[in-house]
Amino acid sequence: MGPAALAHVLRPLTPLPEHNHPDLLVGLNSIDDAAVYRLNGEQAVVSTADFFPPVVDDPYAFGAIAAANAMSDVYAMGGEVLFALNLVAFPDNLEPEILIEILRGGRDKVMEGGGVIAGGHTVTDKEPKYGLAVTGIVHPERILTKGQAQVGDVLVLTKPLGTGVITTAHKREQVDEGDLEAAIASMSTLNCKAAQVLVQAGVRTCTDVTGFGLLGHAWEMALQSEGGIRFWWEQLPWLPGAQHYAAAGCVPGGTGRNEEFLNEFVTLPANFGPTERDLLFDPQTSGGLLAAVRPELWPVVQSKFLEENLACWQIGEVIANRGIKVA
């Protein structure tokens, strides 16, 4: 669902203050990546679910991407994945071997993250869909949330952007094979190590960049933190070919929904045309982590990312004025 439709559906379901549970540390009352429920002073459960139709043709790669995307919400909260349940919708006119490969891709990715597939649920559907319900664990005092950004924080991104336009070009058979392979490699990369670096460095504000795009998830961070965000266009990292495919009109449908919802909150340079706008509102699949890092912590975070051979880019800053600005 687009952000406007989702907000409309969730608005009447938000619990009243008197209905809040003291151990539900993160729930419907906050716009965040996963629910967090405290078990005791040392442990809290992180719970999330995500699934979607294929974004690539290869079943194994699709399974791995969908699993990485679902687990990312646990990592964005600073947690570790314990186990996951498969969520499957599959047509009865497709070969079962296709589903086997999808599930194998998901299983391997969960195992890579240190978790295990513990079961699942299947339904028959006209269009295949796959994802996971993921359960993780986090220390109650070390939860990463969207709402703790402070003015002056450095904004850090851990994966390049552009998966939406590239997978759309793939669907239209207009993509270069090398560009697609780079996008698949990025989408299949787990965010667990990047999250571990952030937690160990003392970072407390984080989200992952997925369907609402860079600006959509940044807006959620700014809203929860009661501040604003400024991005530097020239510092944004792009997957190979992303700008080319956006200029060629390979734009997913979710781009327009994102822009329609966010338009009043976003200020873009006057000289930006459709290509730049489409890239900024591009819905991502299994994107990177977007973290707000205190300036004094940034050298430590940057050094640790280099030491672990992990990618990261400084792409902006937290500002006092509300809204999202691109300069």
Side-chain angles (χ1 to χ4, degrees), residues 36 40 145 214 228 239 244:
V36 182
N40 52 55
T145 68
L214 175 66
L239 284 163
H244 164 74

Side-chain angles (χ1 to χ4, degrees), residues 233-234 267-277 280 326-327:
W233 170 258
E234 295 297 333
T267 303
L268 302 180
N271 64 338
F272 271 23
T275 298
E276 291 86 357
R277 298 182 71 93
L280 287 169
V326 180

Side-chain angles (χ1 to χ4, degrees), residues 33-34 37 51 64 90 104-105 111 125 166 176 181-182 200 206 214 222 225 273 283 298 323:
D33 295 301
Y37 188 93
F51 64 98
F90 199 73
R104 193 170 67 86
M111 289 176 61
D125 198 355
I166 291 173
D176 177 85
E181 289 176 1
Q200 291 167 4
C206 185
L214 175 66
S225 301
W298 169 233

Side-chain angles (χ1 to χ4, degrees), residues 153-186:
D153 282 358
V154 173
L155 289 172
V156 178
L157 184 66
T158 66
K159 285 187 186 182
L161 302 160
T163 61
V165 293
I166 291 173
T167 54
T168 299
H170 172 52
K171 291 176 183 177
R172 297 181 183 179
E173 300 182 344
Q174 298 178 23
V175 73
D176 177 85
E177 194 63 30
D179 295 341
L180 180 61
E181 289 176 1
I184 290 174
S186 179

Side-chain angles (χ1 to χ4, degrees), residues 78-95:
E80 300 176 17
V81 171
L82 296 177
F83 66 91
L85 304 176
N86 287 318
L87 302 175
V88 177
F90 199 73
D92 53 13
N93 61 348
L94 288 182
E95 293 296 324

